[in-house]
């Protein structure tokens, strides 16, 4: 409860921060630094796993709370440029339909990230029994892997516009990219199929009830929110 309230407050502060200081900033720079900060926060889980925070007098609950609220702040700062891009892509007269389609694609990406994080929990033993026995080897390895995977989307940073003017210039381009469109649709269909299959598996064949807070946090780091 307290963590959720603090996260909501920091999300609001993140929105205010973007509007006041970064509204005219280059979107690529905003995405780069938000992703970098999110990666640092994700790798900060290693501090919690090894208990280094306790050696400097910070209780686990306060360190974990700080981690969660900082993630919410960074996500909020990163969210507004995405909304501006989405609105810029909506043609006049069909804004609602186009925005719904774009947010659907975004939600599919989040669902796929969750599916990948679920699959990664099977790579090392991060079960409740292993943690109860004091075996954190799987937890720190998975935390490290999640942290290192986070910056991978930056390789595609050049594909997003720099700002609203750059986006408008790209939209005025008359050249059509057939195969890029095909690739986009294929990726969307494959993502939907993976998400649907994983959901069926989770509902009918997998008991997720014994996941502890560490495992849920690892999944959350992979999804990004």
């Amino acid at each position: 409860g307290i963590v959720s309230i603090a996260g909501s407050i920091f999300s609001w502060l993140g929105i205010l921060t973007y509007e006041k200081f970064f509204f005219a900033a280059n979107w690529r720079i905003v995405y780069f630094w938000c992703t970098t900060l999110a990666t640092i926060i994700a790798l900060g889980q290693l501090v919690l796993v090894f208990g280094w925070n306790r050696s400097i007098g910070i209780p686990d609950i306060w360190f974990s709370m700080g981690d969660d609220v900082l993630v919410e702040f960074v996500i909020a700062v990163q969210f507004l440029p995405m909304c501006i891009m989405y609105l810029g892509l909506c043609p006049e007269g069909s804004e609602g339909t186009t925005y719904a389609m774009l947010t659907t694609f975004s939600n599919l990406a989040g669902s796929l990230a969750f599916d990948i994080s679920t699959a990664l929990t099977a790579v090392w033993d991060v079960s409740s029994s292993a943690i109860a026995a004091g075996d954190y080897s799987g937890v720190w390895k998975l935390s490290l892997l999640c942290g290192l995977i986070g910056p991978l989307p930056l390789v595609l940073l050049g594909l997003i516009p720099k700002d609203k003017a750059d986006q408008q210039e790209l939209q005025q381009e008359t050249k059509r990219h057939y195969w890029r469109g095909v690739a986009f649709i294929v990726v969307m269909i494959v993502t939907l199929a993976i998400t649907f299959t994983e959901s069926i598996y989770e509902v009918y064949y997998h008991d997720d009830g014994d996941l502890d807070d560490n495992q849920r946090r690892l999944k959350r780091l992979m999804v990004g929110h």
Side-chain angles (χ1 to χ4, degrees), residues 63-163:
F63 187 89
S64 177
M65 182 184 296
D67 170 86
D68 288 342
V69 298
L70 286 176
V71 167
E72 295 296 337
F73 179 84
V74 172
I75 290 174
V77 173
Q78 195 178 45
F79 177 70
L80 284 182
M82 180 179 67
C83 289
I84 296 172
M85 278 187 277
Y86 282 0
L87 292 173
L89 290 171
C90 297
E92 186 176 354
S94 58
E95 292 87 350
T97 302
T98 306
Y99 188 81
M101 179 184 68
L102 291 171
T103 52
T104 298
F105 295 156
S106 178
N107 291 334
L108 276 176
S111 298
L112 180 61
F114 184 86
D115 296 338
I116 294 173
S117 68
T118 300
L120 288 176
T121 58
V123 177
W124 294 288
D125 188 2
V126 292
S127 62
S128 299
S129 57
I131 295 174
D135 181 10
Y136 290 89
S137 59
V139 176
W140 78 259
K141 291 175 182 176
L142 193 52
S143 297
L144 179 62
L145 178 61
C146 291
L148 295 177
I149 288 177
L152 289 181
L154 290 179
V155 301
L156 302 176
L157 190 62
L159 297 180
I160 68 173
K162 297 177 182 178
D163 47 34

Side-chain angles (χ1 to χ4, degrees), residues 165-180:
D166 190 30
Q167 183 181 24
Q168 292 172 355
E169 183 178 343
L170 289 172
Q171 288 176 299
Q172 292 173 358
E173 184 180 344
T174 58
K175 184 179 179 180
R176 296 292 181 263
H177 302 278
Y178 175 80
W179 289 110
R180 293 181 185 180

